[in-house]
Structures are given as structure tokens and as C-alpha cells.
Amino acid sequence: MEFKLEAHRIVSISLGKIYNSRVQRGGIKLHKNLLVSLVLRSARQVYLSDPCPGLYLAGPPGAPLQLPAEPAAGPSAGWGEPPPPPAAGLETEPQPAHPAAPGALRAGDAEPATTVACARDTLQSGEAAAAAGGAGDQAGGSDAFPEGPRETRRDCRCPPGVEGQPGAPGAAPHGDCCAEDEPPAPPPIGPRKRPAAGAGGCGPAGRPAPGSTPVKKPRRDSEERPGRAEEGEEEMETGNVANLISIFGSSFSGLLRKSPRGGGEEAEGEERGPEAAEPGQICCDTAVLRDMSPWSTAIEAF
Amino acid sequence: MGEDTDTRKINHSFLRDHSYVTEADVISTVEFNHTGELLATGDKGGRVVIFQREPESKNAPHSQGEYDVYSTFQSHEPEFDYLKSLEIEEKINKIKWLPQQNAAHSLLSTNDKTIKLWKITERDKRPEGYNLKDEEGKLKDLSTVTSLQVPVLKPMDLMVEVSPRRVFANGHTYHINSISVNSDCETYMSADDLRINLWHLAITDRSFNIVDIKPANMEDLTEVITASEFHPHHCNLFVYSSSKGSLRLCDMRAAALCDKHSKLFEEPEDPSNRSFFSEIISSVSDVKFSHSGRYMLTRDYLTVKVWDLNMEARPIETYQVHDYLRSKLCSLYENDCIFDKFECAWNGSDSVIMTGAYNNFFRMFDRNTKRDVTLEASRESSKPRAVLKPRRVCVGGKRRRDDISVDSLDFTRKILHTAWHPAENIIAVAAANNLYIFQDKVNSETH
């Protein structure tokens, strides 16, 4: 259990570093980002291989049940709706592509819903993470997600995908994130937390427009970007890091789904198998774990 | 600039005497020249300050060769790459002196992208007695010139002039981490994260790529080059270290592209020490050949290792610098300290090695006696001519009076850059914006 918490924490920290590296003076440092991505990978492996998962899924008993419903309702609901007011205190940036369906959950579970939607969003814009992570155009992103608040608050509503560490890692960071923010209302959020690091988030960075169209755009951008980097003169390529994030993004969404099957939009298919199996396990958690609120687990981790 | 800090004592040299530390003043590299007469420092603001050792004078026996500021110049400026929308930092990553071939001194300084060759000359005479110009340089009225004279050189106050002689630009896509002058005194190499280039000192518009570890698909990237150095005697040999903790010795005679190493120095990982951060702490931050050329010194996050060129399987000596940090790696990862790149240094006879640590501590290991010492570079403990007191970090258990506990170490104060005089026991230690120069007491007494 401790390993998982530790891994979770490390993943969220790593994502934060990758995100911050994009705004550092002097450009992205390849060496440091490589090391961070290695740590991220190790932590993720530990996280996913640890047979004692599901801490983050803890939350109000109702939450997990509603989760499966979320994805269904998500996309159709208001993508792009700003996060619910209770949690709104945590963030001011509009979160595109947040399903409105969570309205029901909004009281306490806004985050899970949004995160679910975001996860779904991530699936759809698998590369969005890549775009967010790799592309340096977070200037646009910063419109939607000012980097200041993002960094400091590790906003729970961070768009999914980017940091993606979806699935297990995602859950943990989320808890941590909530822990760091002043938890206004009980945040049964659990797994949904998306590390603030990373950029892009659901929806295209800086494009709060709801709907799936904006979602697709970032993916195209991200796809273009690595491509552009390859052709022509050499550029410092950090696409590997971004792609790593997109890998996480896809598996994250897999974790969120109750059913092992991922969406058709899964970007990285090979990750789905093992992870898809796990989500099933994770979701049907023991009562004990379910009772643990993500807050307490997050606090424990610190 | 140096003139206002005239309270230079034998143990202290300050670049700035401010109570706050501006980021630009933080020293980023320290290097003695081949005779030890000059000491160059580079800082984050792109400036280079050169110190010169005063000749020992009988009149002031105590002032045994103190280092005073000799010259200061702005080497690099911040740049902006418009195509990639990247700012290029002006921080001086490395300075390397060229062997002196005439009255002038030359050094190479580099930031992330551009290497520059600077020539440092002295002017202590000037011609006087021109026929056509008067003292101020104004043209004379020819009608007043009644006789001709030959201008003579008269002494003047020493003026040190520094001029950029070469700019080696656009050779690197990634950040340059090291430069090394070849023993042939004609070529030098520069290494970035993925490539190493060979330059000729006189040719700036082209360089040869001799190592390229960039994978075809960047997603397959697993390691980067962290440091590299030419062999001190064999102009065809060089070594480069990687982020995975391995060293590769390459022979330029074997092929134009030295992707295939001649020797690979790698120590198998200790499985009992495996953690999330094993890869980070095994990354080599500095590699230095011994003066003899037989050994190499490497520094990773927790240890310094001495390697014999004849044995690739493992280092011949391993010294723990601050093993008590092994249990704190997660916190050090959080505050980014785990990414600190410490340098290491040999003394002139290759019998003692030195490296920095946290809390402004630096450590020396005597390879022969196997004794080690921890010293601190701080204003409080470094009164002029005071003998440095050895420090100790206690890791629980019995605590002596002046011990520092691991938890009270100041991780914001770190010694990353150190240099050892090539012949004498004089060391230069950089702590943030301060440069400390220490001399061996024993040596000074025998003078």
C-alpha cells in the first residue's frame, strides 16, 4: 500500500516537473526530462503492478456507481462547462469538455465526473496530451489554465490526458491534488484527479469551446507538431515526453472505465490490455478501501 | 569591478559583496589554467572573471600568492532563437584554458549553444612621442614640428584586454554540457546531450560530428551524454559519460564516427539499492581524467568513483560522498536537488580527489591513506588565514558537539563547482556567488 501511495505521489510530482520544464528559461532540458520520465515510468509500473490499488477510488459510495454512467453521459453533456462552483473555488479557469452530466454528482463529485469526462476527452484526444505536453504553445493553454494557479493548486480539474497518468496514477495524483488545495467540500473525487502539471488538459489548450471539435483539434496539433519537428531542421524533440503522457492518458481512461474495454479512440492500444483488466479489479473494491476518502489517502501520502 | 572588493584575504575572494544573491552572480564554472597562475570563473549572467595569482614577495611573506581579480568581461549574452521560440541562456557552462603558446592567454567559454575563444592580452607599455599627434592624440599643427623623434615605449598601468577571437556557433541542437581541449592544441570537442563535435580552433564554420547517440525515433531515447573529456596525453582518445552511469572510451583512429566505443566502463547496479530514483542517482555528472592519464574520476549523485582505464568491469575505488541522502531521495527529487550536477577534481599528483556536497560542504578523499575530510566553505568558518575545521554530518547515533544532523543540512547551499591547482595544494570552491580559495597550511609554512 505504501508503495502505491509513494508511486502515486512520485507520478504527480514528475508530471509537475514535466509541465514546469516547458516554461523554464533556456528551453526544455532533455537530460532532466528524460530522468523525470524514467521515474514516471518506474512509478507507474509500481503503481499498476501493486496488487493493492484502489485507494483513490475511495469516495462516497455513490461515486463509483455513478462513474460508469458518467462516460455515457459525459460527452453529450456540456463539454466545456466550467467546473461546478463548490470546487470552483479551486480553479478559475474554464474547463472545456467537462460533461454536464456530473451535475448530479456535482455537489461532491464534480471532479470525478469532470475527470471522467476529461478522461474520455483524453481518449478522444489522445494526442492532446502530447500536444499539451510536448508543444510549447501552452501560451494558448495558459489562457484557459493560467500556469500560476495550475502549478500551485494542482488543480483537480486539470484536464485529463496531459498528465495523464491516467488510471491508477491519475487517481493518486488527484487525491494529492485535492489535498494540496484547500478542500472546500468533501472531495470524494478519488481517482479522477489529474495532476496539474501538464498542460493542455481536456480540450485544447486555450480553447474552452465545448464540444468534441475542440477536442480533436489539439490532437491534430499534437500530431502535427511531432511531425513538424521531424521534418526539416532538427529541433529539440520533447515529443517522447509528450507521447509518454499520451500513453498514460489512454491507460488512464482505461482505468476509469468500469468495463475493461477502452473507447475506440484509445490512442495507445497496447497499454489497454493489462490496464483494462486492472480497472475492473480496482473498481470493484473492497468496502474498506472504498471507505477511505481520497483526502485521507492523500494526506497520508504527505 | 574587482577594485571595489579590495578586502581580499588569502582565504576569501568575493565577486560581489552584497547581502543578497542575484541569480546572475551565481558562479557556474571554475577552472585553473595549466600553470595555476590564472583562475577563471563563469557565472549565470554570462560573465567571466579571471583571477591572477600575485607573485610571492619577500616584503609580505604572509601574502603568499593571493589571487586578485585580473580581468572581467561579458562572454555571452542571452539570445533568443526565433525559429524555435526558445530563449538561450547566457549562463557559462564551462571554461577551458588553452595551453599558453605566447604572451597571450586564451580560453574557451561556452553557454548552451555557442562556444567562444577569448584572447587575453596585457598592455603595460604605450608609445609616446609621436610626431604627428600630441599627447591627447590630436593632430599637431605641422608648422610647430621642428624636429623628428622616434616614439618610445613608456610603461603604463597594466591594462588587460580581452577580445573574442572565434565564435563557434550553430554546432549544437541540444544543450552543450562540456568542452575539452585536445592535447594536440589544435582541436577541441564540445558535447551536448546527444552529440559530440570536434572543432579546429581556427575554423569556426564547420565541425565534425564524432559521436551521435540520437535514436532514429526519439521515443526510444534512453540515455544522454552528460560529460566528456579528451585524454590528457593521447590526442586520439576521449571519454564520455552517460546518464545511465556508463563511460565510453573512444578512439578517433578507429572510425570517423565514434559511435562504437573502444571500451565501455560500467558497474552493474546493486539490486539491493533499487528505488524509483536509481536511474537518476546513477547518472554521471562529471568525468575527469587523472593527470597521469591512467585513471578516470566520475561523480554521480551519491558517490565518486575512480576507474582504471585498463579495467572496464567496475571502478577500482568508490567513495561515498553523502550516503545519508539515500533515504531522502524522494524529498530531494521533489525539490529538484537530485538533479544537481556536482563536479569532481584531482589534485596535481592524483593522490587526492575532491568533490562538493550540500550545506556548502566539500569533501576530499585521500586515495592512499583512505582518509577523508569534510570541510565547509562559508564566511563564518573562513576567517582569513584560519584553518578550516573538519565538519561531520551525523546520521543518528552519537552526536558530537559540532556535528550537523542530516535534517538540518541546507540543501539550497551547495558546492557544485570546484577546481584544484594543477601543481600546488590550492583549491577554488564556488558557493553560489562566492568564490573561496583555500591553500594548504602545510605548504604555506614551508615557503
Side-chain angles (χ1 to χ4, degrees):
Chain A
M1 174 107 85
E2 285 94 21
F3 288 133
K4 222 169 170 71
L5 279 175
E6 181 80 356
H8 179 190
R9 182 156 158 255
I10 288 171
V11 165
S12 63
I13 293 168
S14 305
L15 293 174
K17 289 188 191 303
I18 293 177
Y19 176 74
N20 290 338
S21 73
R22 294 201 337 271
V23 302
Q24 263 171 11
R25 197 168 166 248
I28 301 174
K29 309 267 190 291
L30 186 61
H31 184 200
K32 183 177 175 188
N33 277 281
L34 177 68
L35 295 176
V36 169
S37 68
L38 291 175
V39 169
L40 196 52
R41 236 172 266 201
S42 307
R44 180 169 163 270
Q45 274 167 5
V46 165
Y47 189 90
L48 295 175
S49 63
D50 192 333
C52 179
L55 292 171
Y56 328 98
L57 293 186
L65 294 179
Q66 302 200 18
L67 282 183
E70 283 308 324
S76 58
W79 286 104
E81 279 192 27
L90 292 177
E91 54 152 4
T92 51
E93 45 231 302
Q95 294 287 331
H98 283 314
L105 297 175
R106 198 141 294 191
D109 307 12
E111 278 167 318
T114 57
T115 53
V116 171
C118 284
R120 164 169 295 247
D121 199 34
T122 304
L123 289 182
Q124 296 174 0
S125 58
E127 312 296 346
D137 70 332
Q138 288 325 311
S142 49
D143 297 341
F145 314 122
E147 290 172 349
R150 178 183 287 272
E151 289 170 24
T152 54
R153 290 191 317 208
R154 291 254 187 262
D155 199 329
C156 301
R157 279 177 241 301
C158 295
V162 177
E163 290 65 28
Q165 309 356 2
H174 186 61
D176 289 350
C177 177
C178 292
E180 287 170 20
D181 300 334
E182 307 71 30
I189 301 48
R192 253 75 34 171
K193 173 202 163 143
R194 281 189 230 276
C202 301
R207 275 181 234 128
S212 51
T213 313
V215 167
K216 289 217 184 346
K217 242 182 164 188
R219 170 155 56 167
R220 278 202 299 275
D221 281 350
S222 65
E223 278 165 358
E224 286 169 4
R225 200 164 298 280
R228 273 199 301 271
E230 292 302 338
E231 62 194 35
E233 72 277 23
E234 261 168 346
E235 300 183 29
M236 272 183 62
E237 286 153 47
T238 51
N240 57 325
V241 170
N243 291 336
L244 187 67
I245 292 171
S246 66
I247 292 172
F248 285 126
S250 62
S251 40
F252 178 38
S253 49
L255 183 65
L256 285 182
R257 278 188 177 36
K258 197 96 184 251
S259 68
R261 203 109 309 98
E265 320 83 68
E266 288 293 280
E268 268 74 14
E270 75 274 6
E271 308 259 351
R272 306 252 348 104
E275 271 126 17
E278 285 206 20
Q281 285 177 314
I282 295 172
C283 287
C284 53
D285 209 351
T286 68
V288 170
L289 290 173
R290 194 173 289 142
D291 285 342
M292 284 181 66
S293 83
W295 280 110
S296 58
T297 59
I299 292 165
E300 249 188 312
F302 283 96
Chain B
M1 178 228 83
E3 273 52 59
D4 44 318
T5 55
D6 57 358
T7 54
R8 203 127 324 128
K9 306 293 193 288
I10 197 168
N11 281 341
H12 272 176
S13 284
F14 295 102
L15 294 185
R16 293 274 190 275
D17 202 6
H18 294 156
S19 55
Y20 62 90
V21 179
T22 38
E23 182 76 6
D25 294 339
V26 172
I27 299 172
S28 51
T29 186
V30 183
E31 188 81 8
F32 279 99
N33 76 337
H34 295 276
T35 61
E37 182 208 353
L38 297 176
L39 174 65
T41 63
D43 64 22
K44 281 194 176 178
R47 282 175 307 246
V48 171
V49 180
I50 303 177
F51 297 85
Q52 184 188 40
R53 194 176 187 197
E54 298 304 323
E56 298 171 20
S57 70
K58 304 258 188 317
N59 299 336
H62 286 301
S63 131
Q64 297 175 21
E66 281 185 27
Y67 283 84
D68 288 333
V69 175
Y70 179 65
S71 172
T72 304
F73 59 95
Q74 185 77 30
S75 170
H76 287 73
E77 299 272 3
E79 287 172 44
F80 196 81
D81 182 337
Y82 297 98
L83 283 182
K84 301 174 197 170
S85 290
L86 282 182
E87 190 182 2
I88 301 169
E89 279 188 283
E90 68 276 25
K91 172 170 79 102
I92 306 295
N93 290 336
K94 281 287 184 311
I95 289 176
K96 283 283 157 35
W97 289 93
L98 267 56
Q100 191 178 9
Q101 286 168 338
N102 49 37
H105 297 276
S106 301
L107 60 79
L108 288 169
S109 67
T110 184
N111 68 347
D112 282 339
K113 297 285 186 186
T114 305
I115 307 135
K116 294 188 185 180
L117 174 67
W118 294 90
K119 191 161 167 188
I120 301 126
T121 49
E122 288 184 3
R123 190 194 293 267
D124 61 354
K125 300 183 197 29
R126 65 166 177 201
E128 281 181 18
Y130 281 105
N131 292 295
L132 299 176
K133 290 187 288 186
D134 63 15
E135 294 298 317
E136 284 93 39
K138 290 198 287 231
L139 284 176
K140 283 185 191 172
D141 182 1
L142 286 180
S143 59
T144 63
V145 176
T146 53
S147 63
L148 291 178
Q149 58 183 347
V150 176
V152 289
L153 291 174
K154 294 262 175 73
M156 60 178 261
D157 288 340
L158 179 66
M159 204 164 72
V160 179
E161 296 171 335
V162 182
S163 61
R165 300 304 273 226
R166 306 268 190 274
V167 177
F168 304 91
N170 303 320
H172 289 277
T173 306
Y174 301 93
H175 295 314
I176 297 175
N177 52 54
S178 45
I179 50 175
S180 177
V181 183
N182 202 345
S183 50
D184 65 8
C185 303
E186 282 188 358
T187 56
Y188 76 95
M189 69 166 166
S190 57
D192 66 25
D193 290 320
L194 296 178
R195 298 195 177 95
I196 300 181
N197 290 341
L198 183 72
W199 304 82
H200 190 285
L201 285 165
I203 299 169
T204 61
D205 61 352
R206 80 196 72 167
S207 69
F208 287 102
N209 177 244
I210 53 177
V211 173
D212 187 343
I213 64 169
K214 181 174 183 228
N217 184 0
M218 279 296 276
E219 294 190 34
D220 300 332
L221 182 70
T222 54
E223 66 182 328
V224 296
I225 298 169
T226 51
S228 67
E229 199 184 39
F230 267 118
H231 191 280
H233 309 310
H234 303 300
C235 57
N236 55 298
L237 290 180
F238 66 93
V239 69
Y240 69 90
S241 61
S242 82
S243 54
K244 278 191 172 170
S246 61
L247 297 171
R248 284 175 173 78
L249 185 74
C250 300
D251 188 336
M252 294 198 290
R253 298 171 301 187
L257 191 58
C258 301
D259 278 358
K260 283 201 169 61
H261 52 263
S262 295
K263 292 200 177 189
L264 172 64
F265 300 83
E266 207 169 24
E267 185 176 27
E269 190 194 345
D270 181 2
S272 64
N273 277 337
R274 185 109 187 91
S275 77
F276 287 123
F277 311 104
S278 299
E279 282 129 342
I280 300 188
I281 63 172
S282 64
S283 174
V284 174
S285 53
D286 192 19
V287 63
K288 293 265 167 53
F289 275 105
S290 65
H291 291 90
S292 63
R294 163 116 188 237
Y295 303 103
M296 294 181 295
L297 182 65
T298 59
R299 174 73 155 100
D300 52 60
Y301 191 64
L302 296 177
T303 69
V304 280
K305 297 178 180 171
V306 177
W307 300 78
D308 187 328
L309 250 62
N310 301 318
M311 186 163 83
E312 302 169 59
R314 66 186 161 280
I316 57 171
E317 293 155 31
T318 301
Y319 300 93
Q320 301 293 334
V321 179
H322 39 203
D323 200 57
Y324 44 79
L325 296 183
R326 199 178 285 273
S327 54
K328 299 191 175 307
L329 293 179
C330 194
S331 324
L332 293 166
Y333 178 72
E334 265 184 273
N335 61 15
D336 272 0
C337 282
I338 206 173
F339 300 105
D340 286 335
K341 300 198 177 161
F342 292 94
E343 291 174 8
C344 52
W346 296 90
N347 73 336
S349 57
D350 298 337
S351 59
V352 183
I353 55 185
M354 169 173 69
T355 188
Y358 291 106
N359 210 76
N360 277 2
F361 287 167
F362 57 98
R363 306 206 66 202
M364 292 191 202
F365 301 91
D366 189 319
R367 298 178 58 214
N368 300 326
T369 65
K370 298 301 180 204
R371 285 197 335 215
D372 61 83
V373 67
T374 304
L375 300 169
E376 182 178 2
S378 73
R379 297 195 192 196
E380 296 78 34
S381 65
S382 307
K383 300 291 183 294
R385 272 172 285 287
V387 176
L388 280 182
K389 195 177 56 171
R391 308 305 307 268
R392 209 174 86 105
V393 178
C394 74
V395 277
K398 281 210 312 196
R399 192 183 157 188
R400 292 188 221 151
R401 194 159 52 97
D402 289 326
D403 284 2
I404 309 264
S405 75
V406 179
D407 297 312
S408 53
L409 286 175
D410 186 350
F411 290 99
T412 61
R413 291 161 66 225
K414 54 192 92 165
I415 307 283
L416 299 175
H417 311 287
T418 58
W420 204 308
H421 190 286
E424 299 184 32
N425 279 348
I426 302 172
I427 57 173
V429 173
N433 62 329
N434 293 320
L435 181 71
Y436 294 83
I437 300 179
F438 300 111
Q439 274 192 3
D440 190 352
K441 185 164 179 286
V442 173
N443 260 9
S444 58
E445 278 171 358
T446 57
H447 276 86

